[in-house]
Amino acid sequence: MIPSMSAASLAANCTPSTLGYACMRQQGEVTVHWSANTASAPVNPCTPATPTVLTAAQLMSSGSLHMAVQGYMGGYVAISFAGSPGTMCPADTVLGWADSAGSSQPGFIGTFHVTERLLDDSNRLTGAADWAYDKGVMQEGSVTTICFSRRLLEPRAPTSPDLRATIAGLMPTSASSTSSSSEPTALSTAGGAQPQPLGLNWAVASWDALREHYPRNRGGFYLDLTAGAAAAAADNEWAEQRRGWVIAHGVLMTVAWVLLLPVGPMFPAHRWLLRGAAAPPQWYRGGGKQWWFLGHVTCQWVGFGMAVAAFGIGHSAHVHERGRTQSSLIPPGGAAKAHNPLGNAVMITAFAQILLAHATRPAPDAGLRRRVWEWAHWVIGRCLIGLAWAQVIIGAHVAAGEGIGRFWQWAGPMVGMMAALVIADMALRVAGWRWREPATPLDKLSAATDADADRTEKQPYVEVGKGAGGSGDFGASGAQAAAGGAGAAGGERGLGEPLVGLGRGTGHGRSSTTVAEGLARSRPTSASSATVASVAEA
């Protein structure tokens, strides 16, 4: 026969409770106080002034458990008798908050049966269905304490109808059944059973309302009521897998929207750095595309592909439990509420930008249509990057709220990269204005070519830039010879191309504007020719 355990030996195995309960144990963000199989709960500011007192017969048949749970966030505190600790549902829950100073909500404590992640007033058990009694709540500073009692054998508790096995050996014997003391009774060894740990979930929040807590502010644990020991329960397998998928979603979105997609527009904005260099013809259909164009397109498509993959992860069953949307997993209020709809808006706008870039792009010589298209492409792209940057910062807040890293572990690298890109773009713009040769105004080019045309009458034809000395073979003017030399040096564009026609019709050359445009095209190192060449490549 296993010897019985006395009240004194029970107290020796537990940390004395500051609220008068037999035992106390801290677990996660809460401290749990409890007494098992006493007629009534200890009197303290949290319990009723006249608590319910069970008879000896009631204790012998059903047993009792009195609990007080303290949280430290100044809002509500919840404790659940869980079917599987670490998993929110199903569970029998007591939840409450105090009527604290400045709170818009009055004090509240209630009993609930949790059947899914969403908890609202429809889950509340009242009247004859309420399995907890002597409920109370108080708050001192930021410490909220809820108190309640329940019977160990309680058929009205759907998930935890029989908890007598958790105090096997603490059930009263017939010899002690006449005791009405609030102290633990003598212990029975009925069946020689060993106590089983009690599975519990806890949750806390900083608000006084039935709103979902942040995932980091909850946990599950096993409590040994007889020895006073507690052990944390590991999160269920799905929660661990979800953590990995959420991290993958965040990393992909960060690389796409903070690195690749902002770097892509910098290639055309600072194409002067590449000096008009072109890739081999076989690298791109149509041949000979310039490097700035290929860099721009590559960054945009790779970044967009990563964003689409991350978007799919964020809306998949890997992240959302039982098909619920992400917005319902995020606590209401604040910027986090905008994460789901803003993410949808960013991706829709990104898809529209892709269509604008490839399906509606006019030819380089389309005049006004091309200029309007370039303006729209530029404005939409910059606005999209701004929205996406706001979205990833909100995403860092959401991840931190779910206990997946801290906010600055996510936001620090994001903000650092954003600042680096902005500084680099500004520095390159300043350097670009100093490095590039200013374009010669067309009116000055026109005056020079008109003067040369007057000195060279009825010349048959001039091909600028053909061969090493092509510009001077036919007695071209000084300006034309210089243009020819530049064309020969430029090499790639305009070799052998007839740019200036003289002696046609009445014997005079083409208009000065045509000549000026020809000269501009024959100077690939100038700002104007670089612009013309780059637009043609696009």
Side-chain angles (χ1 to χ4, degrees):
M1 181 175 181
I2 301 174
S4 63
M5 181 182 294
S6 66
S9 62
L10 174 64
N13 288 319
C14 292
T15 302
S17 172
T18 58
L19 295 176
Y21 293 85
C23 299
M24 176 181 71
R25 185 66 60 191
Q26 184 171 357
Q27 187 66 37
E29 297 290 335
V30 298
T31 298
V32 181
H33 311 255
W34 74 94
S35 292
N37 243 31
T38 61
S40 62
V43 177
N44 57 60
C46 181
T47 59
T50 55
T52 301
V53 179
L54 299 182
T55 66
Q58 290 171 327
L59 282 176
M60 186 173 181
S61 62
S62 301
S64 66
L65 178 64
H66 314 286
M67 301 190 75
V69 184
Q70 295 176 307
Y72 307 98
M73 297 190 67
Y76 72 67
V77 176
I79 194 77
S80 299
F81 300 90
S84 177
T87 302
M88 182 174 178
C89 54
D92 299 320
T93 302
V94 177
L95 181 150
W97 63 81
D99 186 7
S100 57
S103 174
S104 60
Q105 298 287 340
F108 168 84
I109 186 167
T111 309
F112 298 84
H113 178 50
V114 183
T115 56
E116 59 179 7
R117 287 180 60 93
L118 184 63
L119 176 66
D120 56 31
D121 201 57
S122 65
N123 301 105
R124 187 179 177 188
L125 303 176
T126 59
D130 190 352
W131 47 263
Y133 62 93
D134 285 355
K135 297 186 291 292
V137 59
M138 70 175 186
Q139 182 171 342
E140 294 181 349
S142 62
V143 179
T144 304
T145 305
I146 61 171
C147 301
F148 67 95
S149 299
R150 63 159 291 171
R151 300 190 183 195
L152 295 172
L153 180 61
E154 180 54 84
R156 293 176 297 177
T159 305
S160 56
D162 190 355
L163 299 179
R164 289 177 297 178
T166 62
I167 59 166
L170 274 176
M171 292 300 293
T173 63
S174 58
S176 60
S177 61
T178 58
S179 172
S180 60
S181 169
S182 62
E183 295 299 321
T185 63
L187 305 181
S188 167
T189 57
Q194 295 298 317
Q196 297 180 5
L198 175 63
L200 297 170
N201 287 336
W202 61 267
V204 293
S206 58
W207 42 79
D208 298 343
L210 285 177
R211 286 167 40 190
E212 188 174 2
H213 53 79
Y214 285 108
R216 69 169 180 265
N217 295 329
R218 58 99 179 103
F221 65 102
Y222 291 96
L223 181 64
D224 189 334
L225 295 176
T226 62
D235 285 342
N236 60 324
E237 183 179 356
W238 181 88
E240 288 297 322
Q241 293 176 349
R242 178 179 182 272
R243 179 184 177 91
W245 285 109
V246 170
I247 291 175
H249 168 81
V251 170
L252 286 173
M253 282 296 190
T254 299
V255 174
W257 288 111
V258 182
L259 180 61
L260 291 176
L261 290 170
V263 166
M266 294 180 69
F267 279 94
H270 307 295
R271 53 184 174 266
W272 57 272
L273 283 171
L274 299 174
R275 312 294 201 273
Q282 65 270 21
W283 283 31
Y284 193 86
R285 59 181 179 82
K289 290 292 183 180
Q290 291 192 11
W291 280 115
W292 71 262
F293 179 73
L294 295 181
H296 172 68
V297 171
T298 300
C299 283
Q300 301 311 95
W301 272 114
V302 173
F304 181 70
M306 294 178 69
V308 169
F311 185 76
I313 291 174
H315 286 76
S316 69
H318 298 294
V319 174
H320 304 299
E321 186 177 20
R322 295 180 178 88
R324 299 178 71 228
T325 60
Q326 185 175 5
S327 59
S328 61
L329 294 176
I330 300 172
K337 182 83 172 172
H339 188 65
N340 196 53
L342 183 58
N344 293 337
V346 167
M347 292 305 299
I348 291 172
T349 307
F351 184 72
Q353 177 76 329
I354 291 289
L355 291 179
L356 178 67
H358 292 275
T360 64
R361 179 177 60 183
D365 58 354
L368 179 62
R369 283 183 58 228
R370 177 72 179 200
R371 289 193 294 274
V372 170
W373 176 87
E374 290 175 347
W375 179 85
H377 189 57
W378 187 92
V379 169
I380 295 175
R382 268 59 180 182
C383 292
L384 181 59
I385 294 298
L387 285 176
W389 282 8
Q391 170 71 343
V392 295
I393 294 297
I394 294 174
H397 173 67
V398 173
E402 296 204 11
I404 305 176
R406 297 189 178 275
F407 175 75
W408 283 109
Q409 289 177 324
W410 286 98
M414 294 176 183
V415 174
M417 179 58 68
M418 293 173 188
L421 289 176
V422 171
I423 293 172
D425 182 66
M426 295 175 63
L428 287 173
R429 290 184 184 278
V430 172
W433 283 110
R434 292 185 175 183
W435 181 87
R436 286 179 289 185
E437 178 186 352
T440 303
L442 285 180
D443 56 348
K444 294 184 178 180
L445 285 174
S446 300
T449 52
D450 287 343
D452 291 339
D454 290 339
R455 291 194 298 270
T456 56
E457 295 183 359
K458 297 182 180 181
Q459 293 296 331
Y461 195 74
V462 177
E463 292 184 350
V464 180
K466 186 175 183 180
S471 62
D473 289 345
F474 300 100
S477 67
Q480 293 163 347
E492 285 185 5
R493 185 173 292 278
L495 293 181
E497 179 184 358
L499 298 178
V500 182
L502 302 178
R504 293 184 178 179
T506 60
H508 296 284
R510 291 185 182 179
S511 68
S512 59
T513 301
T514 305
V515 174
E517 292 175 350
L519 289 173
R521 286 199 302 270
S522 68
R523 299 175 58 210
T525 58
S526 69
S528 61
S529 64
T531 301
V532 172
S534 62
V535 170
E537 290 294 343

